[in-house]
Amino acid sequence: EIVLTQSPGTLSLSPGERATLSCRASQSVSSYYLAWYQQKPGQAPRLLIYGASSRAADIPDRFSGSGSGTDFTLTINRLEPEDFAVYYCQQYGSSPPTFGQGTKLEIK
Amino acid sequence: QVQLVQSGSELKKPGASVKVSCKASGYTFTNYAMNWVRQAPGQGLEWMGWINTNTGDPMYAQGFTGRFVFSLDTSVSTAYLQISGLKAEDTAMYYCARKTRGSGGLFDYWGQGTLVTVSS
């Protein structure tokens, strides 16, 4: 199975700053089948990005995804207070679908 | 609008069984596969497997065979997760998640989660 490693484990930033989250795969992710989810405390994960760079419905354009092969990035521009949460990457091109361990984005 | 509404929290003793429900609305239930994802306390997301909502055929991830059973009642657009022989390590939040159409296991809608606590 494909192992996804996210870094950093915790990212401390202030509102208005830019966040850059990394996701590295143990082998190439086929067809850009890489997604990002946001999870806030007490809530279910929410799909943000799919296909490595396509935003899901109703996701603000300050969220963007990039990357290919084994290295992927989620960028959040101009952090808003509601963006502080845990972010998971997921590959869904190979079975089983697998998730990274998560990056916690916290307010500095 | 698409909604997945799960049953409420459960407190069970070791060795007991639990059945979690996930009721779908806002779309044609049999057009989308249903998946189950586990999240242990303070931990990440773990895919448990999925069920074909057309045929009822389940597929279980490694580590989720034997005690875990996925089932459906298409007449009420509901998927179920049953866990038997509960152990303390089964304590977790369990989510149902709808898979998008097409290839790959991308999950576009999630239930709110059901907390299962196993304790004597």
Side-chain angles (χ1 to χ4, degrees), chain A residues 6-43:
Chain A
Q6 293 186 238
S7 60
T10 302
L11 185 58
S12 300
L13 293 170
S14 300
E17 293 191 295
R18 172 186 294 176
T20 302
L21 287 65
S22 174
C23 177
R24 178 162 289 177
S26 60
Q27 54 189 283
S28 185
V29 175
S30 59
S31 304
Y32 298 84
Y33 282 178
L34 193 287
W36 291 91
Y37 298 83
Q38 176 193 66
Q39 187 177 34
K40 296 180 180 179
Q43 295 185 18

mmCIF file of all heavy atoms in Angstrom, chain A residues 6-43:
data_model
loop_
_atom_site.group_PDB
_atom_site.id
_atom_site.type_symbol
_atom_site.label_atom_id
_atom_site.label_comp_id
_atom_site.label_asym_id
_atom_site.label_seq_id
_atom_site.Cartn_x
_atom_site.Cartn_y
_atom_site.Cartn_z
ATOM 1 N N GLN A 6 3.147 13.224 5.948
ATOM 2 C CA GLN A 6 2.876 14.656 5.926
ATOM 3 C C GLN A 6 3.872 15.410 6.816
ATOM 4 O O GLN A 6 4.297 14.921 7.852
ATOM 5 C CB GLN A 6 1.451 14.941 6.410
ATOM 6 C CG GLN A 6 0.392 14.417 5.462
ATOM 7 C CD GLN A 6 -1.010 14.828 5.884
ATOM 8 O OE1 GLN A 6 -1.881 13.983 6.108
ATOM 9 N NE2 GLN A 6 -1.255 16.134 5.971
ATOM 10 N N SER A 7 4.215 16.604 6.376
ATOM 11 C CA SER A 7 5.079 17.458 7.185
ATOM 12 C C SER A 7 4.673 18.919 7.011
ATOM 13 O O SER A 7 4.152 19.297 5.946
ATOM 14 C CB SER A 7 6.555 17.261 6.780
ATOM 15 O OG SER A 7 6.749 17.591 5.431
ATOM 16 N N PRO A 8 4.875 19.749 8.041
ATOM 17 C CA PRO A 8 5.292 19.316 9.376
ATOM 18 C C PRO A 8 4.135 18.674 10.125
ATOM 19 O O PRO A 8 3.001 18.693 9.645
ATOM 20 C CB PRO A 8 5.702 20.644 10.018
ATOM 21 C CG PRO A 8 4.768 21.645 9.402
ATOM 22 C CD PRO A 8 4.577 21.187 7.978
ATOM 23 N N GLY A 9 4.399 18.138 11.303
ATOM 24 C CA GLY A 9 3.334 17.583 12.118
ATOM 25 C C GLY A 9 2.413 18.668 12.648
ATOM 26 O O GLY A 9 1.190 18.505 12.682
ATOM 27 N N THR A 10 3.028 19.780 13.058
ATOM 28 C CA THR A 10 2.289 20.942 13.541
ATOM 29 C C THR A 10 2.877 22.187 12.908
ATOM 30 O O THR A 10 4.100 22.301 12.777
ATOM 31 C CB THR A 10 2.366 21.058 15.073
ATOM 32 O OG1 THR A 10 1.847 19.861 15.662
ATOM 33 C CG2 THR A 10 1.549 22.253 15.571
ATOM 34 N N LEU A 11 2.007 23.094 12.489
ATOM 35 C CA LEU A 11 2.429 24.343 11.868
ATOM 36 C C LEU A 11 1.760 25.489 12.625
ATOM 37 O O LEU A 11 0.520 25.518 12.712
ATOM 38 C CB LEU A 11 2.022 24.345 10.395
ATOM 39 C CG LEU A 11 2.455 25.510 9.515
ATOM 40 C CD1 LEU A 11 3.956 25.666 9.510
ATOM 41 C CD2 LEU A 11 1.928 25.303 8.087
ATOM 42 N N SER A 12 2.561 26.385 13.174
ATOM 43 C CA SER A 12 2.039 27.506 13.959
ATOM 44 C C SER A 12 2.183 28.794 13.158
ATOM 45 O O SER A 12 3.302 29.217 12.863
ATOM 46 C CB SER A 12 2.786 27.630 15.284
ATOM 47 O OG SER A 12 2.655 26.457 16.049
ATOM 48 N N LEU A 13 1.054 29.389 12.801
ATOM 49 C CA LEU A 13 1.055 30.600 11.999
ATOM 50 C C LEU A 13 -0.004 31.559 12.524
ATOM 51 O O LEU A 13 -0.876 31.179 13.317
ATOM 52 C CB LEU A 13 0.767 30.269 10.529
ATOM 53 C CG LEU A 13 1.836 29.461 9.794
ATOM 54 C CD1 LEU A 13 1.315 29.010 8.438
ATOM 55 C CD2 LEU A 13 3.109 30.287 9.612
ATOM 56 N N SER A 14 0.052 32.776 12.033
ATOM 57 C CA SER A 14 -0.912 33.801 12.426
ATOM 58 C C SER A 14 -1.910 34.040 11.303
ATOM 59 O O SER A 14 -1.574 33.818 10.115
ATOM 60 C CB SER A 14 -0.195 35.107 12.747
ATOM 61 O OG SER A 14 0.722 34.928 13.803
ATOM 62 N N PRO A 15 -3.117 34.477 11.635
ATOM 63 C CA PRO A 15 -4.077 34.847 10.575
ATOM 64 C C PRO A 15 -3.446 35.849 9.622
ATOM 65 O O PRO A 15 -2.692 36.737 10.031
ATOM 66 C CB PRO A 15 -5.240 35.455 11.361
ATOM 67 C CG PRO A 15 -5.169 34.779 12.692
ATOM 68 C CD PRO A 15 -3.702 34.603 12.964
ATOM 69 N N GLY A 16 -3.737 35.662 8.326
ATOM 70 C CA GLY A 16 -3.175 36.529 7.303
ATOM 71 C C GLY A 16 -1.918 35.973 6.655
ATOM 72 O O GLY A 16 -1.551 36.402 5.554
ATOM 73 N N GLU A 17 -1.258 35.022 7.325
ATOM 74 C CA GLU A 17 -0.049 34.421 6.757
ATOM 75 C C GLU A 17 -0.405 33.321 5.769
ATOM 76 O O GLU A 17 -1.560 32.942 5.608
ATOM 77 C CB GLU A 17 0.838 33.862 7.877
ATOM 78 C CG GLU A 17 1.431 34.939 8.771
ATOM 79 C CD GLU A 17 2.502 34.390 9.688
ATOM 80 O OE1 GLU A 17 2.164 33.561 10.566
ATOM 81 O OE2 GLU A 17 3.671 34.809 9.546
ATOM 82 N N ARG A 18 0.626 32.787 5.121
ATOM 83 C CA ARG A 18 0.460 31.704 4.160
ATOM 84 C C ARG A 18 0.924 30.403 4.793
ATOM 85 O O ARG A 18 1.988 30.363 5.419
ATOM 86 C CB ARG A 18 1.273 31.961 2.896
ATOM 87 C CG ARG A 18 1.291 30.769 1.936
ATOM 88 C CD ARG A 18 2.225 31.015 0.767
ATOM 89 N NE ARG A 18 1.741 32.109 -0.076
ATOM 90 C CZ ARG A 18 2.408 32.577 -1.114
ATOM 91 N NH1 ARG A 18 3.590 32.083 -1.430
ATOM 92 N NH2 ARG A 18 1.901 33.560 -1.831
ATOM 93 N N ALA A 19 0.147 29.339 4.598
ATOM 94 C CA ALA A 19 0.512 28.015 5.092
ATOM 95 C C ALA A 19 0.890 27.120 3.929
ATOM 96 O O ALA A 19 0.203 27.096 2.896
ATOM 97 C CB ALA A 19 -0.657 27.399 5.860
ATOM 98 N N THR A 20 1.960 26.368 4.116
ATOM 99 C CA THR A 20 2.401 25.406 3.103
ATOM 100 C C THR A 20 2.548 24.044 3.770
ATOM 101 O O THR A 20 3.381 23.864 4.658
ATOM 102 C CB THR A 20 3.733 25.832 2.467
ATOM 103 O OG1 THR A 20 3.581 27.137 1.890
ATOM 104 C CG2 THR A 20 4.137 24.838 1.376
ATOM 105 N N LEU A 21 1.712 23.101 3.351
ATOM 106 C CA LEU A 21 1.689 21.763 3.926
ATOM 107 C C LEU A 21 2.170 20.778 2.878
ATOM 108 O O LEU A 21 1.776 20.861 1.709
ATOM 109 C CB LEU A 21 0.272 21.383 4.364
ATOM 110 C CG LEU A 21 -0.309 22.051 5.612
ATOM 111 C CD1 LEU A 21 -0.509 23.546 5.442
ATOM 112 C CD2 LEU A 21 -1.628 21.376 5.983
ATOM 113 N N SER A 22 2.962 19.810 3.326
ATOM 114 C CA SER A 22 3.570 18.859 2.400
ATOM 115 C C SER A 22 3.041 17.452 2.615
ATOM 116 O O SER A 22 2.718 17.053 3.741
ATOM 117 C CB SER A 22 5.085 18.881 2.584
ATOM 118 O OG SER A 22 5.705 17.891 1.807
ATOM 119 N N CYS A 23 2.973 16.692 1.536
ATOM 120 C CA CYS A 23 2.559 15.297 1.567
ATOM 121 C C CYS A 23 3.453 14.530 0.611
ATOM 122 O O CYS A 23 3.489 14.838 -0.595
ATOM 123 C CB CYS A 23 1.095 15.186 1.147
ATOM 124 S SG CYS A 23 0.438 13.504 1.035
ATOM 125 N N ARG A 24 4.176 13.560 1.138
ATOM 126 C CA ARG A 24 5.090 12.767 0.312
ATOM 127 C C ARG A 24 4.635 11.319 0.299
ATOM 128 O O ARG A 24 4.349 10.737 1.348
ATOM 129 C CB ARG A 24 6.513 12.876 0.841
ATOM 130 C CG ARG A 24 7.541 12.049 0.092
ATOM 131 C CD ARG A 24 8.940 12.512 0.359
ATOM 132 N NE ARG A 24 9.198 13.811 -0.287
ATOM 133 C CZ ARG A 24 10.339 14.491 -0.168
ATOM 134 N NH1 ARG A 24 11.311 14.020 0.599
ATOM 135 N NH2 ARG A 24 10.503 15.638 -0.779
ATOM 136 N N ALA A 25 4.579 10.725 -0.880
ATOM 137 C CA ALA A 25 4.118 9.349 -1.048
ATOM 138 C C ALA A 25 5.290 8.391 -1.195
ATOM 139 O O ALA A 25 6.331 8.755 -1.753
ATOM 140 C CB ALA A 25 3.210 9.247 -2.271
ATOM 141 N N SER A 26 5.093 7.160 -0.731
ATOM 142 C CA SER A 26 6.150 6.149 -0.793
ATOM 143 C C SER A 26 6.357 5.620 -2.209
ATOM 144 O O SER A 26 7.394 5.023 -2.497
ATOM 145 C CB SER A 26 5.818 4.992 0.151
ATOM 146 O OG SER A 26 4.586 4.380 -0.219
ATOM 147 N N GLN A 27 5.374 5.840 -3.073
ATOM 148 C CA GLN A 27 5.506 5.519 -4.491
ATOM 149 C C GLN A 27 4.605 6.458 -5.255
ATOM 150 O O GLN A 27 3.747 7.122 -4.677
ATOM 151 C CB GLN A 27 5.172 4.053 -4.763
ATOM 152 C CG GLN A 27 3.822 3.596 -4.245
ATOM 153 C CD GLN A 27 3.639 2.092 -4.357
ATOM 154 O OE1 GLN A 27 3.374 1.568 -5.427
ATOM 155 N NE2 GLN A 27 3.789 1.395 -3.233
ATOM 156 N N SER A 28 4.812 6.525 -6.538
ATOM 157 C CA SER A 28 4.102 7.494 -7.351
ATOM 158 C C SER A 28 2.586 7.320 -7.251
ATOM 159 O O SER A 28 2.067 6.206 -7.319
ATOM 160 C CB SER A 28 4.546 7.373 -8.810
ATOM 161 O OG SER A 28 3.960 8.386 -9.579
ATOM 162 N N VAL A 29 1.889 8.429 -7.083
ATOM 163 C CA VAL A 29 0.429 8.418 -7.014
ATOM 164 C C VAL A 29 -0.116 8.515 -8.430
ATOM 165 O O VAL A 29 0.163 9.479 -9.154
ATOM 166 C CB VAL A 29 -0.084 9.593 -6.155
ATOM 167 C CG1 VAL A 29 -1.600 9.663 -6.175
ATOM 168 C CG2 VAL A 29 0.431 9.456 -4.722
ATOM 169 N N SER A 30 -0.900 7.517 -8.824
ATOM 170 C CA SER A 30 -1.345 7.441 -10.222
ATOM 171 C C SER A 30 -2.356 8.517 -10.551
ATOM 172 O O SER A 30 -3.244 8.827 -9.746
ATOM 173 C CB SER A 30 -1.927 6.057 -10.514
ATOM 174 O OG SER A 30 -3.020 5.784 -9.671
ATOM 175 N N SER A 31 -2.205 9.070 -11.733
ATOM 176 C CA SER A 31 -3.182 9.995 -12.312
ATOM 177 C C SER A 31 -3.531 11.163 -11.398
ATOM 178 O O SER A 31 -4.667 11.636 -11.386
ATOM 179 C CB SER A 31 -4.471 9.256 -12.701
ATOM 180 O OG SER A 31 -4.194 8.202 -13.581
ATOM 181 N N TYR A 32 -2.570 11.611 -10.629
ATOM 182 C CA TYR A 32 -2.810 12.761 -9.751
ATOM 183 C C TYR A 32 -3.957 12.498 -8.771
ATOM 184 O O TYR A 32 -4.617 13.423 -8.332
ATOM 185 C CB TYR A 32 -3.130 14.018 -10.574
ATOM 186 C CG TYR A 32 -2.013 14.447 -11.475
ATOM 187 C CD1 TYR A 32 -1.842 13.881 -12.725
ATOM 188 C CD2 TYR A 32 -1.125 15.443 -11.077
ATOM 189 C CE1 TYR A 32 -0.801 14.281 -13.547
ATOM 190 C CE2 TYR A 32 -0.085 15.853 -11.891
ATOM 191 C CZ TYR A 32 0.072 15.274 -13.137
ATOM 192 O OH TYR A 32 1.090 15.673 -13.957
ATOM 193 N N TYR A 33 -4.185 11.256 -8.404
ATOM 194 C CA TYR A 33 -5.293 10.927 -7.502
ATOM 195 C C TYR A 33 -4.894 11.213 -6.065
ATOM 196 O O TYR A 33 -4.770 10.310 -5.241
ATOM 197 C CB TYR A 33 -5.708 9.470 -7.671
ATOM 198 C CG TYR A 33 -6.553 9.166 -8.881
ATOM 199 C CD1 TYR A 33 -6.962 7.848 -9.165
ATOM 200 C CD2 TYR A 33 -6.963 10.157 -9.757
ATOM 201 C CE1 TYR A 33 -7.745 7.563 -10.267
ATOM 202 C CE2 TYR A 33 -7.740 9.880 -10.871
ATOM 203 C CZ TYR A 33 -8.120 8.574 -11.116
ATOM 204 O OH TYR A 33 -8.888 8.285 -12.220
ATOM 205 N N LEU A 34 -4.743 12.508 -5.785
ATOM 206 C CA LEU A 34 -4.339 12.942 -4.466
ATOM 207 C C LEU A 34 -5.347 13.989 -3.986
ATOM 208 O O LEU A 34 -5.678 14.926 -4.726
ATOM 209 C CB LEU A 34 -2.930 13.537 -4.512
ATOM 210 C CG LEU A 34 -2.134 13.817 -3.223
ATOM 211 C CD1 LEU A 34 -2.658 15.024 -2.456
ATOM 212 C CD2 LEU A 34 -2.093 12.613 -2.300
ATOM 213 N N ALA A 35 -5.849 13.806 -2.789
ATOM 214 C CA ALA A 35 -6.851 14.712 -2.228
ATOM 215 C C ALA A 35 -6.371 15.275 -0.899
ATOM 216 O O ALA A 35 -5.486 14.707 -0.249
ATOM 217 C CB ALA A 35 -8.178 13.971 -2.024
ATOM 218 N N TRP A 36 -6.976 16.390 -0.517
ATOM 219 C CA TRP A 36 -6.743 16.997 0.783
ATOM 220 C C TRP A 36 -8.084 17.190 1.484
ATOM 221 O O TRP A 36 -9.071 17.600 0.869
ATOM 222 C CB TRP A 36 -6.058 18.355 0.633
ATOM 223 C CG TRP A 36 -4.646 18.297 0.142
ATOM 224 C CD1 TRP A 36 -4.230 18.354 -1.158
ATOM 225 C CD2 TRP A 36 -3.460 18.196 0.931
ATOM 226 N NE1 TRP A 36 -2.866 18.278 -1.211
ATOM 227 C CE2 TRP A 36 -2.369 18.194 0.052
ATOM 228 C CE3 TRP A 36 -3.209 18.115 2.312
ATOM 229 C CZ2 TRP A 36 -1.046 18.108 0.499
ATOM 230 C CZ3 TRP A 36 -1.907 18.035 2.757
ATOM 231 C CH2 TRP A 36 -0.834 18.029 1.856
ATOM 232 N N TYR A 37 -8.089 16.906 2.784
ATOM 233 C CA TYR A 37 -9.273 17.079 3.610
ATOM 234 C C TYR A 37 -8.924 17.967 4.796
ATOM 235 O O TYR A 37 -7.789 17.948 5.294
ATOM 236 C CB TYR A 37 -9.790 15.744 4.158
ATOM 237 C CG TYR A 37 -10.230 14.754 3.111
ATOM 238 C CD1 TYR A 37 -9.310 13.931 2.473
ATOM 239 C CD2 TYR A 37 -11.577 14.633 2.758
ATOM 240 C CE1 TYR A 37 -9.710 13.024 1.515
ATOM 241 C CE2 TYR A 37 -11.984 13.725 1.801
ATOM 242 C CZ TYR A 37 -11.044 12.911 1.189
ATOM 243 O OH TYR A 37 -11.448 12.004 0.235
ATOM 244 N N GLN A 38 -9.927 18.697 5.255
ATOM 245 C CA GLN A 38 -9.801 19.520 6.458
ATOM 246 C C GLN A 38 -10.692 18.906 7.532
ATOM 247 O O GLN A 38 -11.838 18.540 7.258
ATOM 248 C CB GLN A 38 -10.273 20.941 6.154
ATOM 249 C CG GLN A 38 -10.292 21.877 7.347
ATOM 250 C CD GLN A 38 -11.073 23.158 7.036
ATOM 251 O OE1 GLN A 38 -12.277 23.137 6.823
ATOM 252 N NE2 GLN A 38 -10.369 24.273 6.996
ATOM 253 N N GLN A 39 -10.172 18.798 8.737
ATOM 254 C CA GLN A 39 -10.994 18.309 9.845
ATOM 255 C C GLN A 39 -10.864 19.251 11.037
ATOM 256 O O GLN A 39 -9.759 19.472 11.540
ATOM 257 C CB GLN A 39 -10.612 16.889 10.254
ATOM 258 C CG GLN A 39 -11.569 16.313 11.294
ATOM 259 C CD GLN A 39 -11.258 14.874 11.676
ATOM 260 O OE1 GLN A 39 -10.106 14.455 11.712
ATOM 261 N NE2 GLN A 39 -12.307 14.113 11.953
ATOM 262 N N LYS A 40 -11.991 19.779 11.465
ATOM 263 C CA LYS A 40 -12.033 20.613 12.667
ATOM 264 C C LYS A 40 -12.473 19.766 13.850
ATOM 265 O O LYS A 40 -13.111 18.724 13.662
ATOM 266 C CB LYS A 40 -12.997 21.781 12.447
ATOM 267 C CG LYS A 40 -12.542 22.714 11.341
ATOM 268 C CD LYS A 40 -13.502 23.862 11.142
ATOM 269 C CE LYS A 40 -13.014 24.766 10.029
ATOM 270 N NZ LYS A 40 -13.935 25.908 9.775
ATOM 271 N N PRO A 41 -12.121 20.179 15.074
ATOM 272 C CA PRO A 41 -12.468 19.380 16.256
ATOM 273 C C PRO A 41 -13.959 19.066 16.305
ATOM 274 O O PRO A 41 -14.804 19.952 16.123
ATOM 275 C CB PRO A 41 -12.048 20.277 17.415
ATOM 276 C CG PRO A 41 -10.950 21.112 16.860
ATOM 277 C CD PRO A 41 -11.333 21.372 15.433
ATOM 278 N N GLY A 42 -14.271 17.796 16.534
ATOM 279 C CA GLY A 42 -15.662 17.372 16.657
ATOM 280 C C GLY A 42 -16.421 17.291 15.357
ATOM 281 O O GLY A 42 -17.638 17.100 15.367
ATOM 282 N N GLN A 43 -15.721 17.451 14.236
ATOM 283 C CA GLN A 43 -16.385 17.399 12.938
ATOM 284 C C GLN A 43 -15.799 16.303 12.061
ATOM 285 O O GLN A 43 -14.685 15.835 12.289
ATOM 286 C CB GLN A 43 -16.254 18.743 12.217
ATOM 287 C CG GLN A 43 -16.960 19.884 12.913
ATOM 288 C CD GLN A 43 -16.907 21.169 12.097
ATOM 289 O OE1 GLN A 43 -16.644 21.158 10.887
ATOM 290 N NE2 GLN A 43 -17.177 22.296 12.749
#
